[in-house]
Amino acid sequence: VVGPFLGGFLLTYFNFYILLVVVILVLILGIFPLLKIKEEKIRYGVSLNDVFRKENYNNSPRYLIQGFRYLVTGVFWPIFIFYIVKEYFSLGLIFSGASIFSYSIIWLLSDKMDKVDKKLFSDFSGMLHGIVNFIKVFVNTFSQVFFVTILSLVTFGVSEISNNAIAFDQANKTKVMGFFVFREIILATARITLLLIIFFSGLDLIASLKLSFIVLGITSIFQKFLSW
């Protein structure tokens, strides 16, 4: 949660090299707790037949849309925000502040997720996330960015929890490693597809970012009808 704020602070009042040094130090320090964890070596085997089993294709459109979300929410939306606020510190402040609000709401909702149909929760949160992405197209002030980022992170987080729960349930019914390799292929395909759509659109940076919001908005709203 504090990462974006600290990153924006270091970039604003110091420089990129200081930020890089701090990140490297944090990564090095993070190794020591891992060394205290007892490692259990488990051999996994996976084949092409395990990866492309018929059962793995279930929910493929759902994971494809999930791949769109990763790219739009994690990469394109921050770039769009920076175009509006034009300050690293403001960008970090927005994401840290919005994360505190959104994670609190997700924590309150998480208990109820186990008591409802996972696909229903995924489709409903996906539809809300789609609506939020259409709203992103019209955002142009700091307050709008902050409010929409909260909505985006909440709907993204709820959708992620339900989609991952669906994936784990599905993995338990087939070859686990093969399924997760297949799922990663779908997620990567989604990212590449969206990048190609933007690249061949011929639009400028801001227009192409808005196009990605629209593509994600449409696919998220109709997720229920695209999935099987």
Side-chain angles (χ1 to χ4, degrees):
V1 173
V2 299
F5 172 78
L6 292 176
F9 176 83
L10 291 173
L11 281 173
T12 301
Y13 296 101
F14 296 93
N15 53 53
F16 175 78
Y17 299 105
I18 297 297
L19 175 62
L20 183 62
V21 170
V22 170
V23 171
I24 292 173
L25 288 175
V26 170
L27 288 174
I28 292 174
L29 292 174
I31 294 174
F32 295 103
L34 293 176
L35 295 176
K36 294 182 178 181
I37 299 175
K38 184 179 179 181
E39 183 179 1
E40 183 178 353
K41 294 184 178 180
I42 302 176
R43 289 185 175 273
Y44 289 103
V46 62
S47 66
L48 287 177
N49 289 332
D50 293 337
V51 173
F52 295 103
R53 288 170 64 94
K54 182 179 179 181
E55 297 87 346
N56 292 347
Y57 287 89
N58 296 334
N59 297 307
S60 291
R62 193 181 304 276
Y63 303 137
L64 191 72
I65 297 169
Q66 192 176 17
F68 288 164
R69 281 196 198 106
Y70 287 156
L71 188 59
V72 172
T73 306
V75 180
F76 293 161
W77 178 236
I79 294 174
F80 186 76
I81 292 177
F82 184 75
Y83 172 78
I84 294 173
V85 300
K86 295 180 173 59
E87 293 180 358
Y88 293 116
F89 184 75
S90 297
L91 180 63
L93 186 64
I94 287 172
F95 268 92
S96 287
S99 295
I100 292 173
F101 280 99
S102 60
Y103 292 159
S104 299
I105 295 172
I106 293 171
W107 178 73
L108 292 173
L109 291 174
S110 60
D111 182 54
K112 300 187 181 297
M113 291 183 199
D114 291 330
K115 301 175 183 177
V116 298
D117 182 82
K118 296 182 181 68
K119 288 189 177 182
L120 178 64
F121 219 111
S122 171
D123 294 335
F124 181 69
S125 59
M127 181 183 67
L128 292 178
H129 192 69
I131 294 172
V132 171
N133 273 275
F134 278 114
I135 296 174
K136 288 177 180 178
V137 175
F138 305 100
V139 167
N140 54 26
T141 67
F142 185 95
S143 58
Q144 290 173 352
V145 165
F146 185 74
F147 180 68
V148 172
T149 300
I150 292 175
L151 293 178
S152 179
L153 290 178
V154 169
T155 52
F156 174 83
V158 173
S159 178
E160 275 300 286
I161 293 173
S162 51
N163 280 332
N164 288 335
I166 292 170
F168 293 137
D169 288 345
Q170 187 176 350
N172 288 328
K173 298 175 183 177
T174 183
K175 299 288 186 179
V176 175
M177 286 301 297
F179 167 76
F180 280 110
V181 170
F182 177 82
R183 181 169 174 264
E184 287 301 317
I185 292 173
I186 297 297
L187 293 174
T189 301
R191 297 185 183 99
I192 294 170
T193 301
L194 188 54
L195 285 171
L196 289 175
I197 291 173
I198 290 174
F199 179 78
F200 288 108
S201 69
L203 300 172
D204 60 35
L205 175 61
I206 300 305
S208 61
L209 292 175
K210 290 183 177 181
L211 175 62
S212 73
F213 303 155
I214 293 171
V215 171
L216 178 57
I218 293 173
T219 54
S220 293
I221 288 175
F222 292 100
Q223 174 180 288
K224 177 178 176 59
F225 306 101
L226 297 173
S227 301
W228 59 76

